[in-house]
Amino acid sequence: MRKRLLAGTMAAMTAVSALAPTITAEASSTYEMRRKIITTAGIMDAAASDSAGVTRAQFAKMLVKASAYKDVSTENNVTLYADVAANSENAAYIRVAAEQGWMTGFLGGKFKPDDPVNMAQAAKAVLTLLGYTDSDFTGSLVSNRMAKFDALGLNENISKASTDTLANSDCVNLIYNLLDTNTKDHENEAKTSSTIYGKALGYEVNSDGDLNPFASLEDDLRGPYLLKKGSKLGSIIDFSKNKASYYLNGQASTKSQIENTADEDTVIIYYNSTTKMVYAYSTEGGTDSDGNETIGAAEGKLESIYYGSSDVMTPTSIVIDGTEYKITTSDMQYAFSVYGNVEVKDDVTIVWATRTVNGEEAKVVIAIVD
């Protein structure tokens, strides 16, 4: 009998890799890594075009999703503005953004939700989220806010003047910079996991001072689960199927496509309850832009278990149907050791990911699936 075993923090790594299989522990300062962090956290739609402009209503939603109010109810809303219908999809986010002072309306009681958001408005919003108020700025509020905005590095990778409007790509960098910046209370301190704004959302910084893309996902990740032939995803996930985002082998997918794949192939499911994202892996696996294999599932007979020459009790790799998979974590070492429940000739199902082992790329066992 097999039991489900997760390789500690590798569970979070697997979830992120499902969205973008090229993710590793590389610096999150690259744009692609920043975008993966923002979309995986549910702050921005993964399908959003980088070049598309961002409206004030859309920006209000991003701000709320990047705050402690991210789970605000979007039902039974009370509108604060004459041009925002109570039943509009962004009404709740606009209300929270206005009540918290992140964004303000215009004369005549209007919010202008369909107008593009500009750099000055965005700067005010993120500075307010960090704890700054109008009293922190003298003279020209706009120019002094922008000066503080620049001094804090919130403008990193954003080449826009105060009156310029923002695209989704600008918002990726802006929200990332917000998460990775010290709050006002810690403004003059060295940046650590305890001082950044992102701490409230579960983010940490790595040794390079960049956000750790895996830390915030670990607590809410569930899996791995085997989606059996003829089964529905609703039998596994614990939230509405209609509100979920789906990924198959690292690519955007649909519920039907994943279920149809399970009818022909082995499919492993992970999901994140907070972001309502479902990550599926099949034996076909995922590849990066160069066609290199990155992550997937494997099912078959366990042919061999190899041990290190210096420690005959610690497994270093296994072979399933002719393919070797490295073992690099204590959980997986235990599972395939004499103390675990897996033996040679057993039928096994695993999740693997490509990792660098001793300077070489190799398939590494992430988990065993029931």
Side-chain angles (χ1 to χ4, degrees), residues 192 219 293 311 369:
T192 69
D219 290 342
E293 293 181 304
D311 186 353
V369 186

Side-chain angles (χ1 to χ4, degrees), residues 42 234 249 260 323 332:
N249 294 326
N260 290 339
T323 301
M332 294 300 100

